[in-house]
Amino acid sequence: MDIISEELNQKYNIVLASGSPRRKEILTQAGLDFTVIKSEGEEVITNSDPSMVTMELSRQKAIEVYDRINGTYEASSDIYAKEKPIIVIGSDTVVAIDGQILGKPKDEAEAVCMIQKLQGRSHSVFTGVTIVLQSGEAENTVTFACETKVHVYPMSNQEIENYVLTGEPMDKAGAYGIQGLFAKYVEKIEGDYLNVVGFPLSAFWRELQKMLNR
Amino acid sequence: MDIISEELNQKYNIVLASGSPRRKEILTQAGLDFTVIKSEGEEVITNSDPSMVTMELSRQKAIEVYDRINGTYEASSDIYAKEKPIIVIGSDTVVAIDGQILGKPKDEAEAVCMIQKLQGRSHSVFTGVTIVLQSGEAENTVTFACETKVHVYPMSNQEIENYVLTGEPMDKAGAYGIQGLFAKYVEKIEGDYLNVVGFPLSAFWRELQKMLNR
């Protein structure tokens, strides 16, 4: 059976464990109603493989928020007051080039350096996703990661500086937003576009259907 | 020299020869100020190759609008009153599968048929673009086309019907909007994402730079 967004909204309390405005937009675009509860724990990375890192961080975020909601059960929080099972979604995105992980730039100078690395060649974007689905007293947890290759046209230093001056890079992994002004410089991608924006919607949708049909 | 959007807005009157809301959004996202003047001529197709069709139609749209603006020169229209050279942009997008071109669906039944064809496999989206750049008494014209491969997950008839009922397919080539609810069903793409939305911004940007630097 295929569950459509409206059914999902009626049957579950969906929680996004991420404050990213891009993730909120993507899930809203998919027709989902959800609450945002940001994870607060320190991110612990035990891996250097970018795909594994994003899975690990997505799981930490989702489980922390799931446990936090469960801890407030007695206090009958808004989430629980609705008496529906919870779905918590955790997600983490990194940009990787030559085995190096690029996070969010600390300042404009670092943003310039990151884009100088990315221009004129291809790199990978990884997003890890963890879905925690409450089922009675227990829960099911699924974690996966998606990779998309992104090819960036050669950029002059002037173009890079102009781009950084727009302020767009500052809150973004790899110092660019494919959905913003940087789209001018993206030659092509291989993989899911929304994965680069920050959330692999179609893969998430299929994993969620599988979990619900189990 | 790289021309950035602000310079372009100052130096040229940019005209988009298309009423598509998606194209307007993409050019706005790129920081361009422009006027929309829709072409009104009948579309004449002399070709069956999808790439050639989109180039042909984009050229017809751009040239019709360019000539129309030039014809109103004496009447000193708003466009000409600014006394800047004109850039006219024409564009056309089609979806192609097994050599067949899918345009906009006539009704919901046709939209269902189109998506039944597209689900569970890959197809191509072609967008043709023509840029007419005024240069003194003459003009330079460049036409090109971009192809993006789109892989759609298998969809059940229920999913297809639910999607068509949202109304999203009705004004779109191939009966889907990758930037809308259909994103749930797009496994991956190879090529430029915005090309699928309706305008290959990064290729356009490079072609325009080349024309301006000639």
PDB file of all heavy atoms in Angstrom, chain B residues 53-86:
ATOM      1  N   VAL B  53      14.025  20.275 -32.092  1.00  0.00           N
ATOM      2  CA  VAL B  53      12.713  20.916 -31.900  1.00  0.00           C
ATOM      3  C   VAL B  53      12.815  22.048 -30.882  1.00  0.00           C
ATOM      4  O   VAL B  53      12.320  23.157 -31.113  1.00  0.00           O
ATOM      5  CB  VAL B  53      11.656  19.873 -31.427  1.00  0.00           C
ATOM      6  CG1 VAL B  53      10.402  20.566 -30.899  1.00  0.00           C
ATOM      7  CG2 VAL B  53      11.301  18.934 -32.566  1.00  0.00           C
ATOM      8  N   THR B  54      13.483  21.775 -29.760  1.00  0.00           N
ATOM      9  CA  THR B  54      13.547  22.812 -28.722  1.00  0.00           C
ATOM     10  C   THR B  54      14.389  24.001 -29.191  1.00  0.00           C
ATOM     11  O   THR B  54      14.081  25.146 -28.867  1.00  0.00           O
ATOM     12  CB  THR B  54      14.137  22.276 -27.397  1.00  0.00           C
ATOM     13  OG1 THR B  54      15.483  21.840 -27.616  1.00  0.00           O
ATOM     14  CG2 THR B  54      13.306  21.142 -26.829  1.00  0.00           C
ATOM     15  N   MET B  55      15.430  23.718 -29.982  1.00  0.00           N
ATOM     16  CA  MET B  55      16.254  24.834 -30.489  1.00  0.00           C
ATOM     17  C   MET B  55      15.442  25.682 -31.465  1.00  0.00           C
ATOM     18  O   MET B  55      15.457  26.913 -31.416  1.00  0.00           O
ATOM     19  CB  MET B  55      17.520  24.293 -31.144  1.00  0.00           C
ATOM     20  CG  MET B  55      18.500  23.731 -30.115  1.00  0.00           C
ATOM     21  SD  MET B  55      20.197  23.639 -30.729  1.00  0.00           S
ATOM     22  CE  MET B  55      20.118  22.158 -31.698  1.00  0.00           C
ATOM     23  N   GLU B  56      14.718  24.988 -32.351  1.00  0.00           N
ATOM     24  CA  GLU B  56      13.913  25.664 -33.364  1.00  0.00           C
ATOM     25  C   GLU B  56      12.845  26.568 -32.693  1.00  0.00           C
ATOM     26  O   GLU B  56      12.684  27.741 -33.054  1.00  0.00           O
ATOM     27  CB  GLU B  56      13.223  24.577 -34.210  1.00  0.00           C
ATOM     28  CG  GLU B  56      12.663  25.053 -35.501  1.00  0.00           C
ATOM     29  CD  GLU B  56      12.340  23.867 -36.441  1.00  0.00           C
ATOM     30  OE1 GLU B  56      12.101  22.738 -35.951  1.00  0.00           O
ATOM     31  OE2 GLU B  56      12.310  24.094 -37.659  1.00  0.00           O
ATOM     32  N   LEU B  57      12.144  25.994 -31.725  1.00  0.00           N
ATOM     33  CA  LEU B  57      11.079  26.764 -31.078  1.00  0.00           C
ATOM     34  C   LEU B  57      11.643  27.920 -30.243  1.00  0.00           C
ATOM     35  O   LEU B  57      11.071  29.010 -30.205  1.00  0.00           O
ATOM     36  CB  LEU B  57      10.195  25.853 -30.214  1.00  0.00           C
ATOM     37  CG  LEU B  57       9.350  24.846 -31.006  1.00  0.00           C
ATOM     38  CD1 LEU B  57       8.540  23.954 -30.059  1.00  0.00           C
ATOM     39  CD2 LEU B  57       8.413  25.559 -31.986  1.00  0.00           C
ATOM     40  N   SER B  58      12.786  27.680 -29.585  1.00  0.00           N
ATOM     41  CA  SER B  58      13.380  28.769 -28.791  1.00  0.00           C
ATOM     42  C   SER B  58      13.789  29.928 -29.701  1.00  0.00           C
ATOM     43  O   SER B  58      13.652  31.103 -29.351  1.00  0.00           O
ATOM     44  CB  SER B  58      14.585  28.265 -27.985  1.00  0.00           C
ATOM     45  OG  SER B  58      15.732  28.092 -28.803  1.00  0.00           O
ATOM     46  N   ARG B  59      14.274  29.589 -30.921  1.00  0.00           N
ATOM     47  CA  ARG B  59      14.711  30.625 -31.848  1.00  0.00           C
ATOM     48  C   ARG B  59      13.506  31.412 -32.379  1.00  0.00           C
ATOM     49  O   ARG B  59      13.540  32.638 -32.461  1.00  0.00           O
ATOM     50  CB  ARG B  59      15.513  30.014 -33.000  1.00  0.00           C
ATOM     51  CG  ARG B  59      16.205  31.091 -33.851  1.00  0.00           C
ATOM     52  CD  ARG B  59      16.923  30.508 -35.044  1.00  0.00           C
ATOM     53  NE  ARG B  59      18.167  29.849 -34.675  1.00  0.00           N
ATOM     54  CZ  ARG B  59      18.465  28.590 -34.966  1.00  0.00           C
ATOM     55  NH1 ARG B  59      17.606  27.828 -35.617  1.00  0.00           N
ATOM     56  NH2 ARG B  59      19.629  28.090 -34.608  1.00  0.00           N
ATOM     57  N   GLN B  60      12.439  30.679 -32.705  1.00  0.00           N
ATOM     58  CA  GLN B  60      11.222  31.361 -33.176  1.00  0.00           C
ATOM     59  C   GLN B  60      10.710  32.345 -32.126  1.00  0.00           C
ATOM     60  O   GLN B  60      10.366  33.486 -32.441  1.00  0.00           O
ATOM     61  CB  GLN B  60      10.117  30.335 -33.480  1.00  0.00           C
ATOM     62  CG  GLN B  60      10.338  29.554 -34.782  1.00  0.00           C
ATOM     63  CD  GLN B  60       9.346  28.392 -34.931  1.00  0.00           C
ATOM     64  OE1 GLN B  60       8.276  28.392 -34.350  1.00  0.00           O
ATOM     65  NE2 GLN B  60       9.724  27.412 -35.726  1.00  0.00           N
ATOM     66  N   LYS B  61      10.658  31.901 -30.882  1.00  0.00           N
ATOM     67  CA  LYS B  61      10.145  32.765 -29.811  1.00  0.00           C
ATOM     68  C   LYS B  61      11.017  34.006 -29.642  1.00  0.00           C
ATOM     69  O   LYS B  61      10.524  35.133 -29.555  1.00  0.00           O
ATOM     70  CB  LYS B  61      10.110  31.994 -28.479  1.00  0.00           C
ATOM     71  CG  LYS B  61       9.089  30.882 -28.402  1.00  0.00           C
ATOM     72  CD  LYS B  61       9.220  30.134 -27.060  1.00  0.00           C
ATOM     73  CE  LYS B  61       8.327  28.905 -27.015  1.00  0.00           C
ATOM     74  NZ  LYS B  61       8.464  28.177 -25.725  1.00  0.00           N
ATOM     75  N   ALA B  62      12.337  33.786 -29.590  1.00  0.00           N
ATOM     76  CA  ALA B  62      13.260  34.901 -29.314  1.00  0.00           C
ATOM     77  C   ALA B  62      13.243  35.908 -30.463  1.00  0.00           C
ATOM     78  O   ALA B  62      13.203  37.127 -30.237  1.00  0.00           O
ATOM     79  CB  ALA B  62      14.676  34.367 -29.088  1.00  0.00           C
ATOM     80  N   ILE B  63      13.267  35.399 -31.687  1.00  0.00           N
ATOM     81  CA  ILE B  63      13.356  36.307 -32.833  1.00  0.00           C
ATOM     82  C   ILE B  63      12.054  37.069 -33.029  1.00  0.00           C
ATOM     83  O   ILE B  63      12.052  38.267 -33.322  1.00  0.00           O
ATOM     84  CB  ILE B  63      13.804  35.527 -34.099  1.00  0.00           C
ATOM     85  CG1 ILE B  63      15.295  35.187 -33.909  1.00  0.00           C
ATOM     86  CG2 ILE B  63      13.582  36.343 -35.374  1.00  0.00           C
ATOM     87  CD1 ILE B  63      15.905  34.354 -34.987  1.00  0.00           C
ATOM     88  N   GLU B  64      10.922  36.386 -32.811  1.00  0.00           N
ATOM     89  CA  GLU B  64       9.637  37.080 -32.923  1.00  0.00           C
ATOM     90  C   GLU B  64       9.579  38.260 -31.939  1.00  0.00           C
ATOM     91  O   GLU B  64       9.194  39.372 -32.307  1.00  0.00           O
ATOM     92  CB  GLU B  64       8.487  36.111 -32.645  1.00  0.00           C
ATOM     93  CG  GLU B  64       7.125  36.774 -32.859  1.00  0.00           C
ATOM     94  CD  GLU B  64       6.042  36.209 -31.943  1.00  0.00           C
ATOM     95  OE1 GLU B  64       5.846  34.986 -31.936  1.00  0.00           O
ATOM     96  OE2 GLU B  64       5.410  37.015 -31.233  1.00  0.00           O
ATOM     97  N   VAL B  65       9.983  38.016 -30.720  1.00  0.00           N
ATOM     98  CA  VAL B  65       9.905  39.067 -29.702  1.00  0.00           C
ATOM     99  C   VAL B  65      10.936  40.167 -29.988  1.00  0.00           C
ATOM    100  O   VAL B  65      10.645  41.353 -29.855  1.00  0.00           O
ATOM    101  CB  VAL B  65      10.072  38.467 -28.281  1.00  0.00           C
ATOM    102  CG1 VAL B  65      10.282  39.558 -27.236  1.00  0.00           C
ATOM    103  CG2 VAL B  65       8.844  37.625 -27.933  1.00  0.00           C
ATOM    104  N   TYR B  66      12.129  39.770 -30.419  1.00  0.00           N
ATOM    105  CA  TYR B  66      13.155  40.764 -30.758  1.00  0.00           C
ATOM    106  C   TYR B  66      12.655  41.686 -31.872  1.00  0.00           C
ATOM    107  O   TYR B  66      12.766  42.916 -31.773  1.00  0.00           O
ATOM    108  CB  TYR B  66      14.445  40.059 -31.196  1.00  0.00           C
ATOM    109  CG  TYR B  66      15.574  41.008 -31.485  1.00  0.00           C
ATOM    110  CD1 TYR B  66      16.378  41.483 -30.443  1.00  0.00           C
ATOM    111  CD2 TYR B  66      15.834  41.465 -32.779  1.00  0.00           C
ATOM    112  CE1 TYR B  66      17.414  42.365 -30.692  1.00  0.00           C
ATOM    113  CE2 TYR B  66      16.858  42.354 -33.032  1.00  0.00           C
ATOM    114  CZ  TYR B  66      17.649  42.800 -31.980  1.00  0.00           C
ATOM    115  OH  TYR B  66      18.660  43.692 -32.227  1.00  0.00           O
ATOM    116  N   ASP B  67      12.078  41.071 -32.912  1.00  0.00           N
ATOM    117  CA  ASP B  67      11.576  41.872 -34.035  1.00  0.00           C
ATOM    118  C   ASP B  67      10.420  42.755 -33.600  1.00  0.00           C
ATOM    119  O   ASP B  67      10.285  43.895 -34.057  1.00  0.00           O
ATOM    120  CB  ASP B  67      11.111  40.952 -35.178  1.00  0.00           C
ATOM    121  CG  ASP B  67      12.303  40.327 -35.900  1.00  0.00           C
ATOM    122  OD1 ASP B  67      13.435  40.792 -35.664  1.00  0.00           O
ATOM    123  OD2 ASP B  67      12.105  39.373 -36.676  1.00  0.00           O
ATOM    124  N   ARG B  68       9.581  42.231 -32.724  1.00  0.00           N
ATOM    125  CA  ARG B  68       8.449  43.016 -32.259  1.00  0.00           C
ATOM    126  C   ARG B  68       8.929  44.257 -31.490  1.00  0.00           C
ATOM    127  O   ARG B  68       8.425  45.360 -31.674  1.00  0.00           O
ATOM    128  CB  ARG B  68       7.542  42.166 -31.372  1.00  0.00           C
ATOM    129  CG  ARG B  68       6.150  42.735 -31.379  1.00  0.00           C
ATOM    130  CD  ARG B  68       5.097  41.982 -30.595  1.00  0.00           C
ATOM    131  NE  ARG B  68       5.353  40.607 -30.300  1.00  0.00           N
ATOM    132  CZ  ARG B  68       5.009  40.039 -29.138  1.00  0.00           C
ATOM    133  NH1 ARG B  68       4.424  40.753 -28.199  1.00  0.00           N
ATOM    134  NH2 ARG B  68       5.257  38.766 -28.907  1.00  0.00           N
ATOM    135  N   ILE B  69       9.933  44.067 -30.640  1.00  0.00           N
ATOM    136  CA  ILE B  69      10.469  45.209 -29.887  1.00  0.00           C
ATOM    137  C   ILE B  69      11.081  46.225 -30.847  1.00  0.00           C
ATOM    138  O   ILE B  69      10.849  47.426 -30.733  1.00  0.00           O
ATOM    139  CB  ILE B  69      11.535  44.753 -28.860  1.00  0.00           C
ATOM    140  CG1 ILE B  69      10.921  43.820 -27.830  1.00  0.00           C
ATOM    141  CG2 ILE B  69      12.152  45.958 -28.161  1.00  0.00           C
ATOM    142  CD1 ILE B  69      11.960  43.134 -26.952  1.00  0.00           C
ATOM    143  N   ASN B  70      11.836  45.729 -31.814  1.00  0.00           N
ATOM    144  CA  ASN B  70      12.456  46.632 -32.781  1.00  0.00           C
ATOM    145  C   ASN B  70      11.408  47.386 -33.585  1.00  0.00           C
ATOM    146  O   ASN B  70      11.589  48.554 -33.919  1.00  0.00           O
ATOM    147  CB  ASN B  70      13.383  45.851 -33.722  1.00  0.00           C
ATOM    148  CG  ASN B  70      14.791  45.824 -33.170  1.00  0.00           C
ATOM    149  OD1 ASN B  70      15.099  46.563 -32.229  1.00  0.00           O
ATOM    150  ND2 ASN B  70      15.632  44.991 -33.742  1.00  0.00           N
ATOM    151  N   GLY B  71      10.290  46.739 -33.886  1.00  0.00           N
ATOM    152  CA  GLY B  71       9.202  47.366 -34.641  1.00  0.00           C
ATOM    153  C   GLY B  71       8.548  48.507 -33.876  1.00  0.00           C
ATOM    154  O   GLY B  71       7.975  49.412 -34.464  1.00  0.00           O
ATOM    155  N   THR B  72       8.661  48.459 -32.566  1.00  0.00           N
ATOM    156  CA  THR B  72       8.026  49.508 -31.756  1.00  0.00           C
ATOM    157  C   THR B  72       9.034  50.575 -31.346  1.00  0.00           C
ATOM    158  O   THR B  72       8.778  51.387 -30.482  1.00  0.00           O
ATOM    159  CB  THR B  72       7.390  48.905 -30.485  1.00  0.00           C
ATOM    160  OG1 THR B  72       8.410  48.214 -29.765  1.00  0.00           O
ATOM    161  CG2 THR B  72       6.252  47.968 -30.818  1.00  0.00           C
ATOM    162  N   TYR B  73      10.197  50.540 -31.997  1.00  0.00           N
ATOM    163  CA  TYR B  73      11.252  51.497 -31.672  1.00  0.00           C
ATOM    164  C   TYR B  73      10.745  52.926 -31.807  1.00  0.00           C
ATOM    165  O   TYR B  73      10.906  53.767 -30.918  1.00  0.00           O
ATOM    166  CB  TYR B  73      12.444  51.271 -32.599  1.00  0.00           C
ATOM    167  CG  TYR B  73      13.570  52.233 -32.374  1.00  0.00           C
ATOM    168  CD1 TYR B  73      14.187  52.299 -31.118  1.00  0.00           C
ATOM    169  CD2 TYR B  73      14.014  53.076 -33.382  1.00  0.00           C
ATOM    170  CE1 TYR B  73      15.226  53.190 -30.898  1.00  0.00           C
ATOM    171  CE2 TYR B  73      15.050  53.956 -33.161  1.00  0.00           C
ATOM    172  CZ  TYR B  73      15.655  54.017 -31.927  1.00  0.00           C
ATOM    173  OH  TYR B  73      16.680  54.894 -31.707  1.00  0.00           O
ATOM    174  N   GLU B  74      10.101  53.190 -32.955  1.00  0.00           N
ATOM    175  CA  GLU B  74       9.614  54.542 -33.249  1.00  0.00           C
ATOM    176  C   GLU B  74       8.618  54.997 -32.188  1.00  0.00           C
ATOM    177  O   GLU B  74       8.543  56.163 -31.842  1.00  0.00           O
ATOM    178  CB  GLU B  74       8.948  54.574 -34.627  1.00  0.00           C
ATOM    179  CG  GLU B  74       9.852  54.148 -35.774  1.00  0.00           C
ATOM    180  CD  GLU B  74      11.086  55.021 -35.920  1.00  0.00           C
ATOM    181  OE1 GLU B  74      11.034  56.191 -35.523  1.00  0.00           O
ATOM    182  OE2 GLU B  74      12.123  54.523 -36.409  1.00  0.00           O
ATOM    183  N   ALA B  75       7.828  54.029 -31.711  1.00  0.00           N
ATOM    184  CA  ALA B  75       6.810  54.360 -30.713  1.00  0.00           C
ATOM    185  C   ALA B  75       7.419  54.544 -29.323  1.00  0.00           C
ATOM    186  O   ALA B  75       6.714  54.785 -28.357  1.00  0.00           O
ATOM    187  CB  ALA B  75       5.763  53.250 -30.676  1.00  0.00           C
ATOM    188  N   SER B  76       8.759  54.467 -29.275  1.00  0.00           N
ATOM    189  CA  SER B  76       9.504  54.582 -28.009  1.00  0.00           C
ATOM    190  C   SER B  76       8.818  53.848 -26.856  1.00  0.00           C
ATOM    191  O   SER B  76       8.307  54.447 -25.923  1.00  0.00           O
ATOM    192  CB  SER B  76       9.776  56.039 -27.654  1.00  0.00           C
ATOM    193  OG  SER B  76       8.621  56.716 -27.303  1.00  0.00           O
ATOM    194  N   SER B  77       8.804  52.522 -26.974  1.00  0.00           N
ATOM    195  CA  SER B  77       8.219  51.679 -25.913  1.00  0.00           C
ATOM    196  C   SER B  77       9.058  51.806 -24.640  1.00  0.00           C
ATOM    197  O   SER B  77      10.147  52.361 -24.649  1.00  0.00           O
ATOM    198  CB  SER B  77       8.209  50.223 -26.370  1.00  0.00           C
ATOM    199  OG  SER B  77       9.546  49.765 -26.425  1.00  0.00           O
ATOM    200  N   ASP B  78       8.556  51.272 -23.586  1.00  0.00           N
ATOM    201  CA  ASP B  78       9.272  51.297 -22.303  1.00  0.00           C
ATOM    202  C   ASP B  78      10.656  50.697 -22.429  1.00  0.00           C
ATOM    203  O   ASP B  78      11.623  51.173 -21.862  1.00  0.00           O
ATOM    204  CB  ASP B  78       8.495  50.502 -21.259  1.00  0.00           C
ATOM    205  CG  ASP B  78       7.347  51.342 -20.718  1.00  0.00           C
ATOM    206  OD1 ASP B  78       7.287  52.524 -21.095  1.00  0.00           O
ATOM    207  OD2 ASP B  78       6.542  50.803 -19.948  1.00  0.00           O
ATOM    208  N   ILE B  79      10.707  49.589 -23.165  1.00  0.00           N
ATOM    209  CA  ILE B  79      11.973  48.889 -23.334  1.00  0.00           C
ATOM    210  C   ILE B  79      13.012  49.818 -23.968  1.00  0.00           C
ATOM    211  O   ILE B  79      14.133  49.943 -23.483  1.00  0.00           O
ATOM    212  CB  ILE B  79      11.780  47.662 -24.261  1.00  0.00           C
ATOM    213  CG1 ILE B  79      10.901  46.628 -23.585  1.00  0.00           C
ATOM    214  CG2 ILE B  79      13.108  47.050 -24.663  1.00  0.00           C
ATOM    215  CD1 ILE B  79      11.540  45.961 -22.398  1.00  0.00           C
ATOM    216  N   TYR B  80      12.613  50.500 -25.047  1.00  0.00           N
ATOM    217  CA  TYR B  80      13.582  51.316 -25.764  1.00  0.00           C
ATOM    218  C   TYR B  80      13.866  52.632 -25.095  1.00  0.00           C
ATOM    219  O   TYR B  80      14.933  53.219 -25.265  1.00  0.00           O
ATOM    220  CB  TYR B  80      13.130  51.539 -27.213  1.00  0.00           C
ATOM    221  CG  TYR B  80      13.895  50.631 -28.106  1.00  0.00           C
ATOM    222  CD1 TYR B  80      13.410  49.370 -28.416  1.00  0.00           C
ATOM    223  CD2 TYR B  80      15.150  51.010 -28.574  1.00  0.00           C
ATOM    224  CE1 TYR B  80      14.146  48.519 -29.202  1.00  0.00           C
ATOM    225  CE2 TYR B  80      15.881  50.157 -29.359  1.00  0.00           C
ATOM    226  CZ  TYR B  80      15.372  48.919 -29.677  1.00  0.00           C
ATOM    227  OH  TYR B  80      16.108  48.080 -30.453  1.00  0.00           O
ATOM    228  N   ALA B  81      12.894  53.082 -24.316  1.00  0.00           N
ATOM    229  CA  ALA B  81      13.052  54.383 -23.676  1.00  0.00           C
ATOM    230  C   ALA B  81      14.317  54.408 -22.821  1.00  0.00           C
ATOM    231  O   ALA B  81      14.905  55.451 -22.596  1.00  0.00           O
ATOM    232  CB  ALA B  81      11.830  54.690 -22.830  1.00  0.00           C
ATOM    233  N   LYS B  82      14.740  53.226 -22.370  1.00  0.00           N
ATOM    234  CA  LYS B  82      15.915  53.170 -21.498  1.00  0.00           C
ATOM    235  C   LYS B  82      17.216  53.322 -22.280  1.00  0.00           C
ATOM    236  O   LYS B  82      18.278  53.439 -21.692  1.00  0.00           O
ATOM    237  CB  LYS B  82      15.913  51.867 -20.712  1.00  0.00           C
ATOM    238  CG  LYS B  82      14.758  51.766 -19.715  1.00  0.00           C
ATOM    239  CD  LYS B  82      14.814  50.427 -18.994  1.00  0.00           C
ATOM    240  CE  LYS B  82      13.512  50.172 -18.211  1.00  0.00           C
ATOM    241  NZ  LYS B  82      13.345  48.751 -17.930  1.00  0.00           N
ATOM    242  N   GLU B  83      17.118  53.267 -23.629  1.00  0.00           N
ATOM    243  CA  GLU B  83      18.278  53.457 -24.496  1.00  0.00           C
ATOM    244  C   GLU B  83      19.451  52.551 -24.174  1.00  0.00           C
ATOM    245  O   GLU B  83      20.606  52.980 -24.129  1.00  0.00           O
ATOM    246  CB  GLU B  83      18.727  54.929 -24.462  1.00  0.00           C
ATOM    247  CG  GLU B  83      17.726  55.801 -25.193  1.00  0.00           C
ATOM    248  CD  GLU B  83      18.102  57.277 -25.188  1.00  0.00           C
ATOM    249  OE1 GLU B  83      19.105  57.609 -24.539  1.00  0.00           O
ATOM    250  OE2 GLU B  83      17.416  58.047 -25.840  1.00  0.00           O
ATOM    251  N   LYS B  84      19.139  51.314 -23.911  1.00  0.00           N
ATOM    252  CA  LYS B  84      20.194  50.320 -23.691  1.00  0.00           C
ATOM    253  C   LYS B  84      20.002  49.213 -24.721  1.00  0.00           C
ATOM    254  O   LYS B  84      18.876  48.963 -25.160  1.00  0.00           O
ATOM    255  CB  LYS B  84      20.059  49.724 -22.279  1.00  0.00           C
ATOM    256  CG  LYS B  84      20.321  50.730 -21.165  1.00  0.00           C
ATOM    257  CD  LYS B  84      20.478  50.038 -19.831  1.00  0.00           C
ATOM    258  CE  LYS B  84      19.181  49.998 -19.065  1.00  0.00           C
ATOM    259  NZ  LYS B  84      19.370  49.469 -17.691  1.00  0.00           N
ATOM    260  N   PRO B  85      21.094  48.521 -25.082  1.00  0.00           N
ATOM    261  CA  PRO B  85      20.909  47.386 -25.993  1.00  0.00           C
ATOM    262  C   PRO B  85      20.058  46.296 -25.335  1.00  0.00           C
ATOM    263  O   PRO B  85      20.017  46.177 -24.112  1.00  0.00           O
ATOM    264  CB  PRO B  85      22.331  46.897 -26.270  1.00  0.00           C
ATOM    265  CG  PRO B  85      23.200  47.544 -25.251  1.00  0.00           C
ATOM    266  CD  PRO B  85      22.495  48.748 -24.726  1.00  0.00           C
ATOM    267  N   ILE B  86      19.413  45.500 -26.191  1.00  0.00           N
ATOM    268  CA  ILE B  86      18.485  44.467 -25.698  1.00  0.00           C
ATOM    269  C   ILE B  86      19.151  43.093 -25.719  1.00  0.00           C
ATOM    270  O   ILE B  86      19.945  42.792 -26.616  1.00  0.00           O
ATOM    271  CB  ILE B  86      17.250  44.359 -26.607  1.00  0.00           C
ATOM    272  CG1 ILE B  86      16.640  45.729 -26.865  1.00  0.00           C
ATOM    273  CG2 ILE B  86      16.196  43.439 -26.002  1.00  0.00           C
ATOM    274  CD1 ILE B  86      15.546  45.661 -27.908  1.00  0.00           C
TER     275      ILE B  86
END
